Amino acid sequence: MKNGISKQGWALLPLRLIVGFGFAAHGYAKWSRGPDQFAAILAALGVPLPHLMAWATTLLELLGGLAIIAGAFVLPLSLPLIAVMLTAMFEVHLRYGFSSVRLQAITETGAQFGPVGYEINLLYIAGLLALAASAPSRLSLDRWLRDRRNSASG
């Protein structure tokens, strides 16, 4: 792949798009329901300052997800987004085991699933780590800014 997708910087583009979309979609869901509803969940979990944390998490996921899609500020956004995933994993999903798909029954209305495990959290964390450890890819704002700085200085 030295001369193909990897060398051209396209290999991580699908990962960046889906990770960014996932965070943005979760942030939008919290926003559309109202961060106060999410604050009630955080309060029940014992998270300190639940209203502040609900707003911070909602905006981080929504705006951070959009920035990841654009390939903007991927490295600095990765740490707080990983913190969100770790919090969700340890406070909510860990008790349900690894699997994100837990089929409980097939009924006339379709499949019924049980609680989600921590598999998805680990996938998001792995995706963020891969993106953060990589050079900015093609079609990313970070790459455009880097190239612009390099051309201005040299």
Side-chain angles (χ1 to χ4, degrees):
M1 281 266 176
K2 288 285 185 197
N3 296 324
I5 290 174
S6 182
K7 185 175 180 183
Q8 296 299 318
W10 295 101
L12 292 177
L13 181 62
L15 179 64
R16 195 182 83 219
L17 294 176
I18 196 64
V19 166
F21 180 81
F23 277 109
H26 285 267
Y28 179 75
K30 288 174 181 71
W31 180 268
S32 65
R33 288 184 203 114
D36 288 339
Q37 286 191 1
F38 184 50
I41 294 168
L42 295 178
L45 292 171
V47 172
L49 305 168
H51 282 87
L52 176 64
M53 296 308 292
W55 276 98
T57 302
T58 299
L59 292 174
L60 174 63
E61 287 182 349
L62 178 61
L63 300 177
L66 293 172
I68 297 289
I69 289 170
F73 315 109
V74 172
L75 184 58
L77 282 170
S78 292
L79 186 60
L81 289 169
I82 287 170
V84 167
M85 286 293 99
L86 287 171
T87 302
M89 185 171 81
F90 286 110
E91 293 297 323
V92 178
H93 301 286
L94 194 64
R95 73 191 89 195
Y96 302 117
F98 176 76
S99 184
S100 63
V101 179
R102 183 165 284 115
L103 182 63
Q104 289 188 323
I106 301 290
T107 67
E108 292 177 6
T109 60
Q112 293 181 345
F113 296 95
V116 175
Y118 58 90
E119 176 180 5
I120 299 295
N121 303 105
L122 291 178
L123 286 169
Y124 273 103
I125 290 167
L128 286 167
L129 289 172
L131 293 170
S134 302
S137 63
R138 301 254 181 200
L139 292 179
S140 72
L141 188 57
D142 287 343
R143 173 96 172 245
W144 181 79
L145 290 170
R146 185 194 70 187
D147 291 348
R148 188 166 180 222
R149 275 192 306 269
N150 289 343
S151 68
S153 66

